[in-house]
């Protein structure tokens, strides 16, 4: 398809929280966190909003692409922690950046957001520029996709099993129409029902105003998902991220390999020809496990988790910006992005730089 990633950027909150900082508030140690996850610190938004971080990452990506705000025809914000329910996060960022001509909307695919967002943006671009089915659409020559999350808002800071994992940040990419470029070579998106709620969060921001269920009554998410009460108790309201870590670990390590193999098959490109694989940064051990399963050496994976933790929808786009900045990706290189997250969602895509 005729497009190219022409810009990238990331933005992080000022405050860094080290493992030792967390060891002062929950029963954990730097050694445990580093050994089990590869994370040494994360950034936490204290004064910054989701809009601030997303806008800064987007501004940097536009600058990198050499475009003005008026050049952007489409903005998709991938997030699970928008500043408001309405207007959407994308509408807030559109206004902040002055993207006068952009159509803007949000996409929630949790940590797989980057893969879903780039697939949707590039498909809309192809449909509008290629005139699929003779249908006249808004022409989309330049799209901005921004993955942004401030998970610190929905993390239970008393739960050592989750609070050590997550961080805040934003990553962005500009996708530009270019008939000469092959662009996105293949994509693969999948959902698996999370019927046991491995990953869930019922949080809505101002909890004090909600008539939310009493402890012990089924939660909205549990009712909709049709989950069985957890062993030894009933499903109860979960205002924070709740996660069955080992279950997610196994799921992630398995589907990462499946997704990468599938995009390689679809693109007709063996995995050995990919210059760089940029995975969701949830846990360095998951990446190592997948690397072994795929028989691809770790050196070919972009690993950025050490200083930022798991930043959810921002993670792959921030790591992609790191890979571009480190010149690990050169013009013509084939690059694979792969993600997984709540939903459960997962997927991968291959593009030519
Ligand atoms: N510090 C010290 N000990 C801890 C900590 C901690 N921070 N957290 C858990 N432990 C303890 C547990 O209580 C347990 O103790 P026990 O043996 O006495 O019962 C022990 O460490 C081992 O716990 P496990 O859960 O078995 O540890 P594991 O090796 O599985 O690592 C982890 C846990 C890091 C959460 C891992 O399972 C993981 O990374 N899972 C995947 C997480 C993930 O990818 N999430 C994606 C989210 S995507 C999204 O959409 C948000």
């Amino acid at each position: 398809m005729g497009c190219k990633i022409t810009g990238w950027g990331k933005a992080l909150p000022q405050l860094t929280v080290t493992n030792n900082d967390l060891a002062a508030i929950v029963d954990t140690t730097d050694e445990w966190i580093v050994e089990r996850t590869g994370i040494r610190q994360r950034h936490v938004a204290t004064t910054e909003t989701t809009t601030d971080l997303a806008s800064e990452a987007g501004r940097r990506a536009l600058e990198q692409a050499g475009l003005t705000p008026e050049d952007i025809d489409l903005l998709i914000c991938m997030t699970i922690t928008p500043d408001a329910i309405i207007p959407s996060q994308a509408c807030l960022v559109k206004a902040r950046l002055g993207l006068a001509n952009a159509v803007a909307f949000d996409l929630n695919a949790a940590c797989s957001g980057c893969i879903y967002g780039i697939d949707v943006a590039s498909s809309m671009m192809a449909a509008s520029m290629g005139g699929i089915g003779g249908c006249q659409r808004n022409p989309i020559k330049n799209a901005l996709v921004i993955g942004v999350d401030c998970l610190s808002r929905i993390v239970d800071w008393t739960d050592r099993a989750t609070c050590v994992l997550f961080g805040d940040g934003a990553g962005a990419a500009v996708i530009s129409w270019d008939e000469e470029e092959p662009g996105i070579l293949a994509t693969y998106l999948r959902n698996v029902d999370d019927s046991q709620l491995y990953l869930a969060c019922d949080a809505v921001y101002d909890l004090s105003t909600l008539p939310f269920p009493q402890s012990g009554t089924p939660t909205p998410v549990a009712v909709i998902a049709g989950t069985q009460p957890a062993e030894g108790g009933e499903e109860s309201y979960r205002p924070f991220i709740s996660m069955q870590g080992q279950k997610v670990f196994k799921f992630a390590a398995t589907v990462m390999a499946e997704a990468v193999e599938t995009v390689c098959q679809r693109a007709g490109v063996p995995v050995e020809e990919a210059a760089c694989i940029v995975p969701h940064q949830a846990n360095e051990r998951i990446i190592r496990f997948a690397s072994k399963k795929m028989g691809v050496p770790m050196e070919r994976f972009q690993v950025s988790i050490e200083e930022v933790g798991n930043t959810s929808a921002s993670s792959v786009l921030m790591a992609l910006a790191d890979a571009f900045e480190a010149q690990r990706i050169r013009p013509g290189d084939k690059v694979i992005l792969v993600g997984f997250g709540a939903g459960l969602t997962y997927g991968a895509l291959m593009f030519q730089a």
Side-chain angles (χ1 to χ4, degrees):
M1 203 209 80
C3 73
K4 192 175 166 71
I5 294 184
T6 52
W8 51 86
K10 69 174 191 179
L12 289 161
Q14 279 233 297
L15 180 72
T16 55
V17 175
T18 65
N19 292 345
N20 283 329
D21 292 335
L22 289 179
I25 59 168
V26 288
D27 181 14
T28 191
T29 60
D30 177 52
E31 293 72 32
W32 191 95
I33 302 170
V34 173
E35 192 193 309
R36 299 291 179 117
T37 69
I39 300 166
R40 290 185 187 276
Q41 62 165 47
R42 69 287 297 142
H43 290 247
V44 173
T46 48
T47 57
E48 302 88 348
T49 61
T50 302
T51 308
D52 292 336
L53 296 173
S55 302
E56 184 54 19
R59 191 191 62 70
R60 289 179 188 174
L62 278 182
E63 195 175 278
Q64 179 74 36
L67 295 177
T68 66
E70 291 76 22
D71 292 326
I72 297 297
D73 306 305
L74 170 68
L75 168 66
I76 304 180
C77 276
M78 294 81 75
T79 185
I80 58 171
T81 49
D83 283 331
I85 305 300
I86 48 171
S88 69
Q89 187 55 60
C91 288
L92 296 174
V93 173
K94 174 190 179 300
R96 177 76 67 86
L97 289 177
L99 309 182
N101 301 312
V103 169
F105 62 88
D106 287 0
L107 186 158
N108 175 345
C111 302
S112 310
C114 166
I115 317 297
Y116 281 58
I118 293 180
D119 197 1
V120 170
S122 60
S123 305
M124 286 179 69
M125 185 174 277
S128 75
M129 300 307 285
I132 288 177
C135 173
Q136 296 281 315
R137 297 180 164 89
N138 294 4
I140 297 168
K141 291 186 180 152
N142 295 294
L144 177 61
V145 291
I146 303 177
V148 59
D149 267 316
C150 290
L151 289 192
S152 60
R153 294 174 179 177
I154 53 169
V155 159
D156 178 355
W157 290 101
T158 66
D159 175 19
R160 68 177 183 174
T162 52
C163 76
V164 302
L165 302 174
F166 299 111
D168 302 338
V174 173
I175 306 166
S176 301
W177 176 251
D178 185 337
E179 279 179 30
E180 307 297 313
E181 294 288 340
I184 314 297
L185 303 174
T187 69
Y188 174 65
L189 304 183
R190 291 276 292 166
N191 276 60
V192 173
D193 295 341
D194 187 7
S195 53
Q196 294 302 307
L197 291 186
Y198 291 172
L199 261 169
C201 176
D202 284 332
V204 185
Y205 295 126
D206 188 357
L207 298 174
S208 62
T209 65
L210 277 179
F212 57 83
Q214 302 299 307
S215 173
T217 59
T219 73
V221 170
V223 168
I224 293 162
T227 55
Q228 299 303 314
E231 226 168 88
E234 294 189 45
E235 288 293 342
S236 58
Y237 188 73
R238 40 182 121 222
F240 304 115
I241 293 180
S242 65
M243 184 179 73
Q244 297 185 39
Q246 285 191 2
K247 300 274 175 44
V248 177
F249 191 105
K250 277 187 199 141
F251 162 77
T254 310
V255 301
M256 265 178 68
E258 176 207 320
V260 168
E261 279 158 18
T262 307
V263 278
C264 288
Q265 269 168 18
R266 287 185 174 177
V269 175
V271 71
E272 299 75 42
E273 279 183 31
C276 185
I277 301 177
V278 184
H280 173 41
Q281 313 282 315
N283 184 329
E284 192 185 327
R285 273 167 59 224
I286 294 178
I287 303 173
R288 286 192 184 282
F289 193 96
S291 130
K292 244 190 192 161
K293 205 169 159 65
M294 286 184 245
V296 176
M298 273 300 278
E299 301 74 64
R300 300 253 301 290
F301 287 81
Q302 174 67 34
V303 182
S304 301
I305 194 169
E306 190 175 320
E307 297 190 348
V308 295
N310 177 349
T311 57
S312 187
S314 354
S315 139
V316 176
L317 283 165
M318 291 212 300
L320 179 64
D322 290 344
F324 271 118
E325 288 302 320
Q327 302 195 331
R328 292 192 65 177
I329 301 175
R330 297 182 179 275
D333 277 353
K334 297 188 174 66
V335 179
I336 297 170
L337 309 182
V338 55
F340 58 86
L344 299 164
T345 55
Y346 68 99
L349 64 84
M350 185 188 287
F351 71 90
Q352 184 164 313

